[in-house]
């Protein structure tokens, strides 16, 4: 039984639209960035820097030369990562900045990797890919907020609480986006405060929506973009704790509570990072290609905290009230990068393009670099007087990315994540050989399949009961995310509700926000029911057989420390 056998109710081309509105419901901008993550914020900043050197080019872009639409309440509201930042792209973007002038929390001084059994931990040598000397622990939410401030200081217009609902396409080129309506009730009927979404037109549209971007998926399908391997994903669940004695070292673990047998296909690991003062960031990341329908990443994190190694660190501490969140991560690597990153009138950047190095646990500096390369390609095309809607007007971006350290780094570890599909121990051995040979071993491409194509088994698993002190349930955790979704807004989740037991249980257990549950229809038949206002837009459902579309702008979590 596979989730992909029960596709979501989505019509082909449903999220594509021509330009239809009159001037009263239209906003014209120069260059539009969709999503206020590190990739697009860095791209918008870099473009602003370049335009300041070419006033005639800037003037031709109109009243809003550069605009960003962000579905969250504010920039950073939906940003979550481990996170350790390699500052190489930040230093290129702001060469004059000195340490202490940007929000890098803690420089990495010490680090360690542990292999966990159920009761013990074993310190093991740190692979070269995981070494972090010269890097910094950050809150990506705070980092995004700071980048947004830098962008606005350069004249970039940021429209928060604005979700990109449809991709505007005319004459084979992207013309911009249609933002989502506001003020509809759960049936879709307009309420007294109804506000129709606006058409935002641009000379070029940069899609940097993250791992499960709604318009990115729409564009990839519409323009028939392919990959050598399908993109696969992992789900990370994270907590921020205040503890009496935080460790000084950056800690990663592998092994328990994940099971190494091939039949479960469980891959992942944990992290514990010092964040300055008495704060630590603790999380667990698990590949969504797992096969047991009863796997719950949120509950595995709670189970992991019962291990003596973690309990000793957390003893006497508390999870912060705004200290929980969840997010999917693209982990397909080099062979899952789209064969084209440029579209007529558009570009793919950051996690939307799959620029994440799984063995190194890094993606932010790749995202920022891709955004900057996108800005430079757009600027060169504008200077040359090109129509950015022409098929190859922005092809310079592809060429620049393929010459950059982004794909060079991803190529070096091109089969390393896929090695663990053979089980934990074989995966470790294969990954070791790949590290030694710089990726030359085995000499061919390891093929993969979509997470939703993995067959499911149904095997009960025991998780610890919440105590409200160290172990937390999903609903309490959703509250700790600052979730602000309006109760009666329309359902933004597309899901086939009549599914076999294995598929329904997989969705129910997978969701870290308790969105899905069993119910009955009018005929008394068992169906999957949804509580969409719980959703923190982590994107996991999109990897495992459903489709996440954007809810009303401003909905979802309000992260500040994640």
């Amino acid at each position: 039984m596979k989730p992909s056998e029960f596709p979501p109710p989505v019509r082909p081309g449903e999220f594509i639209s021509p330009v239809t509105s009159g001037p009263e419901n239209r906003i014209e901008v120069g260059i539009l960035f969709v999503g206020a993550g590190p990739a697009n914020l860095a791209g918008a900043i870099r473009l602003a820097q370049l335009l300041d050197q070419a006033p005639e080019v800037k003037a031709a872009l109109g009243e809003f030369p550069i605009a960003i639409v962000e579905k969250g309440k504010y920039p950073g509201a939906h940003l979550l990562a481990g996170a350790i930042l390699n500052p190489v792209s930040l230093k290129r973007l702001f060469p004059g900045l000195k340490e202490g002038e940007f929000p890098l929390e803690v420089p990495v001084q010490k680090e360690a990797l542990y292999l966990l059994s159920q009761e013990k931990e074993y310190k093991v040598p740190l692979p070269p890919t995981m070494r972090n000397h010269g890097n910094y622990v950050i809150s990506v939410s705070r980092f995004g907020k700071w980048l947004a401030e830098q962008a606005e200081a350069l004249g970039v217009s940021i429209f928060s609480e604005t979700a990109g609902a449809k991709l505007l396409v005319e004459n084979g080129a992207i013309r911009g986006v249609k933002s989502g309506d506001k003020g509809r009730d759960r049936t879709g009927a307009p309420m007294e405060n109804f506000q129709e979404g606006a058409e935002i037109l641009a000379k070029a549209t940069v899609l940097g929506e993250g791992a499960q971007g709604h318009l990115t998926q729409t564009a990839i399908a519409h323009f028939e973009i392919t990959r050598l391997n399908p993109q696969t994903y992992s789900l990370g669940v994270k907590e921020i704790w205040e503890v009496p004695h935080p460790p000084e070292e950056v800690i990663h673990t592998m092994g328990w509570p994940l099971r190494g047998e091939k039949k479960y296909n469980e891959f992942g690991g944990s992290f514990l990072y010092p964040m300055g003062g008495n704060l630590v960031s603790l999380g667990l990341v698990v590949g969504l290609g797992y096969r047991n329908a009863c796997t719950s990443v949120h509950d595995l994190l709670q189970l992991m905290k019962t291990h003596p190694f973690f309990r000793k660190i957390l003893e006497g501490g508390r999870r912060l009230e705004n200290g929980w969140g969840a997010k999917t991560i693209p982990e397909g690597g080099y062979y899952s990068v789209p064969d084209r990153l440029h579209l007529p009138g558009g570009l793919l950047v950051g996690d939307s393009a799959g620029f994440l190095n799984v063995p190194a646990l890094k993606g932010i500096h790749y995202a920022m670099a891709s955004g900057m390369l996108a800005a430079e390609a757009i600027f060169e095309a504008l200077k040359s007087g090109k129509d950015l809607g022409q098929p190859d007007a922005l092809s310079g971006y592809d060429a620049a990315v393929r010459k950059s350290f982004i794909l060079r780094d991803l190529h070096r570890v091109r089969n390393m994540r896929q090695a663990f599909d053979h089980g934990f121990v074989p995966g470790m051995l294969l990954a070791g050989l790949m590290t030694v040979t710089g990726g030359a071993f085995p000499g061919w491409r390891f093929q993969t399949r979509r997470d939703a194509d993995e067959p499911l088994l149904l095997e009960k698993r025991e998780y610890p009961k919440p105590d409200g002190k160290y172990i937390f349930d999903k609903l309490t955790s959703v509250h700790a995310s600052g979730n602000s979704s309006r109760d009666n807004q329309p359902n933004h989740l597309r899901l086939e509700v009549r599914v076999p037991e294995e598929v329904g249980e997989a969705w129910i257990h997978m969701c870290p926000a308790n969105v899905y549950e069993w119910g009955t229809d009018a005929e008394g038949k068992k169906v999957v029911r949804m509580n969409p206002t719980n959703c923190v837009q982590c994107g996991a459902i999109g990897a495992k057989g459903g489709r996440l579309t954007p809810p009303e702008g401003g909905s979802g979590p309000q992260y500040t420390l994640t």
Side-chain angles (χ1 to χ4, degrees):
M1 193 65 61
K2 305 172 187 176
S4 60
E5 295 172 1
F6 305 91
V10 176
R11 300 186 307 276
E14 181 177 355
F15 306 117
I16 296 285
S17 173
V19 177
T20 59
S21 69
E24 71 283 352
N25 199 38
R26 183 185 298 170
I27 302 172
E28 296 199 15
V29 304
I31 307 300
L32 177 64
F33 292 81
V34 181
N40 272 352
L41 288 167
I45 289 168
R46 181 63 184 141
L47 184 56
Q49 292 170 342
L50 292 168
L51 289 176
D52 279 348
Q53 301 168 18
E56 71 288 350
V57 178
K58 182 176 182 179
L61 295 177
E63 183 181 358
F64 303 103
I66 307 170
I68 300 175
V69 292
E70 163 56 34
K71 61 185 172 64
K73 195 83 172 175
Y74 47 83
H78 290 179
L79 294 182
L80 180 144
I84 293 180
L85 176 71
N86 180 331
V88 59
S89 297
L90 180 65
K91 290 178 178 178
R92 179 173 172 248
L93 186 60
F94 298 112
L97 275 183
K98 299 176 182 178
E99 190 167 330
E101 294 179 343
F102 39 83
L104 303 180
E105 311 290 336
V106 178
V108 177
Q109 305 285 357
K110 303 176 183 177
E111 50 191 326
L113 174 64
Y114 293 88
L115 185 62
L116 299 186
S117 67
Q118 190 166 350
E119 294 292 335
K120 296 184 178 181
E121 72 278 357
Y122 305 91
K123 193 171 185 178
V124 296
L126 198 69
T129 54
M130 295 180 68
R131 292 173 186 164
N132 284 291
H133 179 74
N135 298 334
Y136 294 81
V137 177
I138 67 166
S139 156
V140 73
S141 176
R142 287 182 58 188
F143 186 60
K145 179 175 180 288
W146 179 83
L147 283 174
E149 291 167 354
Q150 311 314 304
E152 289 182 313
L154 289 168
V156 176
S157 301
I158 300 179
F159 304 118
S160 297
E161 301 187 54
T162 305
K166 290 190 176 184
L167 199 66
L168 301 177
V169 177
E170 276 193 345
N171 300 320
I174 297 173
R175 292 287 314 281
V177 305
K178 172 78 179 289
S179 66
D181 296 341
K182 293 185 178 181
R184 291 188 182 274
D185 66 20
R186 61 170 49 93
T187 70
M191 302 187 299
E192 289 184 1
N193 63 341
F194 173 72
Q195 181 181 343
E196 183 184 354
E199 291 186 345
I200 307 172
L201 307 184
K203 294 184 182 297
T205 301
V206 184
L207 299 176
E209 304 170 286
Q212 286 281 340
H214 169 62
L215 295 183
T216 302
Q217 294 177 71
T218 299
I220 286 174
H222 180 77
F223 290 97
E224 299 181 339
I225 295 174
T226 59
R227 301 176 168 100
L228 287 173
N229 277 348
Q231 186 59 269
T232 58
Y233 299 90
S234 58
L235 173 62
V237 179
K238 174 179 176 177
E239 298 181 346
I240 307 294
W241 281 71
E242 183 180 44
V243 297
H245 306 289
E248 296 180 358
E249 61 187 1
V250 161
I251 294 170
H252 292 103
T253 77
M254 297 185 75
W256 189 88
L258 302 182
R259 296 168 293 191
E261 296 94 324
K262 184 178 178 179
K263 78 168 187 173
Y264 295 118
N265 201 34
E266 294 180 356
F267 169 80
S270 82
F271 59 86
L272 192 149
Y273 300 154
M275 294 187 67
N278 285 70
L279 299 184
V280 295
S281 167
L282 171 68
L284 179 66
V285 180
V286 180
L288 285 166
Y290 60 75
R291 298 190 182 117
N292 184 10
C294 293
T295 299
S296 165
V297 180
H298 170 84
D299 291 308
L300 284 172
L301 174 61
Q302 308 311 307
L303 177 62
M304 190 185 82
K305 289 186 292 182
T306 67
H307 193 284
F309 178 75
F310 289 105
R311 180 51 64 92
K312 180 173 60 178
I313 296 170
L314 300 178
E315 193 72 43
R318 67 182 184 94
R319 189 179 77 174
L320 298 189
E321 290 183 5
N322 60 341
W324 177 92
K327 206 72 173 175
T328 52
I329 304 163
E331 62 176 30
Y334 179 82
Y335 289 121
S336 297
V337 173
D339 62 359
R340 275 193 300 129
L341 300 168
H342 74 281
L343 310 162
L347 295 173
L348 306 177
V349 298
D351 281 2
S352 288
F355 296 144
L356 186 117
N357 186 327
V358 175
L361 308 172
K362 297 286 182 300
I364 298 171
H365 69 298
Y366 298 126
M368 293 179 68
S370 69
M372 293 157 68
L373 292 174
E376 289 161 3
I378 289 169
F379 180 69
E380 289 302 318
L382 289 171
K383 274 205 313 179
S384 301
K386 292 181 180 179
D387 175 358
L388 304 190
Q390 291 300 306
D392 291 323
L394 297 172
S395 60
Y397 170 64
D398 281 60
V401 169
R402 297 190 190 284
K403 290 178 184 176
S404 73
F405 70 89
I406 302 172
L407 288 198
R408 184 173 64 245
D409 286 2
L410 295 189
H411 186 260
R412 195 176 295 124
V413 296
R414 55 194 176 276
N415 282 312
M416 205 170 286
R417 162 63 184 93
Q418 291 77 4
F420 286 88
D421 290 342
H422 299 277
F424 182 73
V425 174
M428 291 288 286
L429 294 173
L430 290 168
L433 289 170
M434 292 172 189
T435 300
V436 169
T437 63
F441 174 84
W444 64 83
R445 169 172 57 97
F446 281 10
Q447 295 186 343
T448 58
R449 54 189 172 194
R450 293 186 307 153
D451 299 317
D453 286 332
E454 291 291 348
L456 294 172
L457 58 91
L458 192 58
E459 190 175 296
K460 294 290 184 183
R461 186 154 193 191
E462 293 296 323
Y463 298 110
K465 293 182 178 180
D467 60 12
K469 186 176 181 182
Y470 295 106
I471 311 300
F472 300 93
D473 63 26
K474 292 180 177 181
L475 285 179
T476 301
S477 298
V478 170
H479 179 74
S481 76
N483 189 308
S484 63
S485 300
R486 182 167 57 83
D487 286 342
N488 65 333
Q489 66 181 269
N491 183 9
H492 63 286
L493 299 159
R494 301 291 185 90
L495 207 66
E496 175 53 63
V497 298
R498 293 171 177 81
V499 293
E501 191 84 5
E502 295 95 329
V503 176
E505 288 293 332
W507 291 340
I508 291 167
H509 281 87
M510 173 203 65
C511 179
N514 209 39
V515 170
Y516 310 103
E517 62 185 6
W518 286 115
T520 54
D521 61 14
E523 299 174 356
K525 294 181 179 178
K526 196 172 183 180
V527 295
V528 175
R529 291 176 52 189
M530 289 167 266
N531 303 299
T533 53
N534 287 357
C535 182
V536 294
Q537 301 174 46
C538 73
I541 191 64
K544 210 68 175 172
R547 177 65 184 265
L548 173 70
T549 71
E552 185 176 274
S555 298
Q558 294 186 29
Y559 298 138
T560 56
L561 286 175
T562 53

